[in-house]
Amino acid sequence: MTVGAEWLEDHIRDIPDFPKPGVVFKDITPLLGDPKAFRGAVDALAGHFDGHRVDKVLGIEARGFIVAAPVAYGFGAGFVPVRKAGKLPWEIEREEYTLEYGNDLLEIHRDAVAPGERALIVDDVLATGGTAAATVRLVEKLGGVVVGLGFIIELEFLGGRKQIPGYDTAALVTYR
Ligand code: AMP
């Protein structure tokens, strides 16, 4: 199914001052709850990487999980959760990334991506790019190869792509 960016955008809700003053939160729950929009977004993200070998699809906690899992299923690939600190039960690799105020940690299980495996990274929003760049570093620490990164939304004015130069990056709806 092919869906246009403008039509998808109609299923994204702006929530001003959430979770804190000054931030406009992009709420994708209307998109997820609409059968045509959900399927269309998943198909469009997967479609961008059509023809590539994908062994693992990584979803970034928490909304990334929702989109990454059906993309993985479609590719016949495995799904890998990339989680906030302290959530994964086994041995981990960890990367720090910068937030607006301070730093945070992302973690992955050490055996989640094997050396040489090809990994696609999926999240709901590309904002400043810190989260995406940390996830790229996690894949490469494990010896994996990043096929590319897919997002439903890109906040282009925050310049996130500069943090992931040279990687094939797809976004379905771009806010300039
Ligand atoms: P960043 O590391 O700045 O690119 O932030 C990306 C992460 O933060 C993603 O996992 C998003 O889910 C979340 N995020 C950042 N900004 C927003 C926003 N305006 N609306 C919704 N989620 C956001």
Side-chain angles (χ1 to χ4, degrees), residues 16-96:
D17 300 320
F18 183 89
K20 57 187 175 195
V23 175
V24 179
F25 187 84
K26 297 295 182 189
D27 175 21
I28 61 164
T29 60
L31 184 155
L32 298 174
D34 181 283
K36 191 174 163 206
F38 183 42
R39 179 178 292 229
V42 169
D43 286 352
L45 275 182
H48 180 90
F49 299 97
D50 208 18
H52 291 262
R53 196 189 97 210
V54 176
D55 301 307
K56 297 283 165 65
V57 180
L58 277 68
I60 302 174
E61 185 172 350
R63 290 177 299 280
F65 295 169
I66 301 165
V67 187
V71 170
Y73 181 86
F75 272 107
F79 169 78
V80 173
V82 175
R83 302 214 60 180
K84 306 277 168 61
K87 302 285 182 96
L88 288 169
W90 192 64
E91 294 170 25
I92 52 148
E93 287 294 346
R94 171 182 291 162
E95 275 291 326
E96 200 171 48

Side-chain angles (χ1 to χ4, degrees), residues 3 10-11 13 22 29 46 56 66 82-83 98-99 107 109-110 115 122 132 157 161 164:
V3 291
D10 288 341
H11 294 78
R13 183 159 53 197
T29 60
K56 297 283 165 65
I66 301 165
V82 175
R83 302 214 60 180
T98 309
L99 293 170
E107 297 179 346
H109 271 153
R110 280 213 169 122
V122 172
F157 51 91
R161 275 183 196 246
I164 40 174

